[in-house]
Amino acid sequence: MKTFYSAFHDVIFVDTTFSKNRFNMVMLDIVGVDQYGHNVLFGFALLNDSKEATFVWAFEHFQRIMEKSPKVVFSDQEQALVNSLHKVFPFARKFLCGWHIARNLDTYYRSKKGLTTEELAILRNLPFETDTGKFNEKVENLKLNEEIKNTKEYFERIISKSKQYAVCFIKDTFTSGINTTSRIESIHSQLSSSLTSCSSLQKVYDAFKDIERVEADKFEDELKIVKNPIPENPMLLNLSQTYSSYAIKKFIPNLNLVSSYKVDPSIDEIDNW
């Protein structure tokens, strides 16, 4: 985990799950993204509670072990978690998970039944709007709705945080092209296949180590590909000035496929060239 974090610590995603084990412990996951867009598990912790002090303790130990701080951190809106991140990683930019924002908006206003299906869709997609002008325009149009007016305090509280979750406001910051913590869900999915609510703590630890082992094996396989020499092809040699050996190796099968095509133009076609 430390090796991966040392290389890919720029952006981390943190999330928690509650009461899914017989010990009623909180599971804290810390995940990142490698240079190929794959999930990388950086760390995890089983905590007795979800208090701010407990999260601070976990992140301080994580930072001490890893010896580096992230530059960007994504989390949900859980206040104790957010506060702890500000304390332990004061210089990192803090962003909120766009998916959680969208889900909360949809759940809250769907229960009010004062918005049309189209307005709900616009509301849900606000975190993923890429244009600042369109984002502001949609917000102003939504404010004309009577239900939004009646829930002005809630709506404005969510919108006031838009610079922490809307793509149009965070797109100039390197975030690995992601604005949600949904990557952690794939880790949870892997854990669910080997764990139950009755699993022992040792079983939980072993499951995380299995994930780490799979990631390490995959990384080793990629290194083997990189170490193989690039064929003496002018196009590939030119690409090697920009792209990694791994990316070029992935491209070679497509190049070979294209190169195998035969062009057999007719005489008339040649005359028209």
Side-chain angles (χ1 to χ4, degrees), residues 30-212:
I30 305 174
V31 173
V33 181
D34 68 12
Q35 74 271 40
Y36 306 121
H38 301 152
N39 289 349
V40 184
L41 178 64
F42 290 150
F44 70 95
L46 288 170
L47 309 173
N48 286 326
D49 56 57
S50 56
K51 295 178 181 178
E52 181 181 323
T54 305
F55 286 131
V56 168
W57 174 86
F59 289 127
E60 284 180 342
H61 279 271
F62 176 79
Q63 186 178 42
R64 178 176 58 79
I65 293 169
M66 296 302 187
E67 300 178 327
K68 289 184 178 181
S69 295
K71 296 178 181 177
V72 173
V73 183
F74 277 89
S75 70
D76 60 23
Q77 295 184 83
E78 185 183 355
Q79 200 58 53
L81 182 63
V82 172
N83 290 345
S84 68
L85 290 170
H86 280 288
K87 286 185 176 181
V88 181
F89 306 120
F91 301 109
R93 296 201 64 180
K94 318 299 187 306
F95 293 133
L96 299 173
C97 170
W99 180 83
H100 280 95
I101 297 291
R103 184 186 64 176
N104 292 343
L105 283 169
D106 182 71
T107 301
Y108 183 82
Y109 282 103
R110 190 176 291 277
S111 66
K112 299 292 183 182
K113 300 181 180 179
L115 274 71
T116 65
T117 301
E118 182 181 358
E119 287 172 325
L120 275 173
I122 293 173
L123 196 64
R124 253 192 331 266
N125 290 323
L126 280 179
F128 310 106
E129 176 57 62
T130 58
D131 184 270
T132 304
K134 290 181 179 179
F135 179 92
N136 292 328
E137 181 183 352
K138 290 176 180 178
V139 168
E140 292 306 312
N141 289 336
L142 285 168
K143 285 181 178 179
L144 300 176
N145 181 279
E146 287 301 319
E147 193 62 67
I148 299 293
K149 290 179 181 179
N150 294 335
T151 56
K152 180 180 178 181
E153 183 179 348
Y154 174 82
F155 183 75
E156 291 189 346
R157 185 168 71 250
I158 297 296
I159 297 304
S160 68
K161 298 178 180 178
S162 58
K163 287 182 172 57
Q164 295 177 266
Y165 64 78
V167 172
C168 59
F169 294 119
I170 70 175
K171 62 183 180 181
D172 292 332
T173 300
F174 177 73
T175 64
S176 300
I178 303 167
N179 77 320
T180 74
T181 59
S182 58
R183 292 227 165 205
I184 296 181
E185 295 305 316
S186 66
I187 299 292
H188 291 166
S189 178
Q190 294 177 60
L191 292 172
S192 297
S193 65
S194 58
L195 298 175
T196 69
S197 59
C198 297
S199 296
S200 66
L201 293 181
Q202 182 62 50
K203 186 79 171 176
V204 173
Y205 175 81
D206 291 341
F208 272 104
K209 294 302 290 184
D210 286 341
I211 292 175
E212 181 185 25

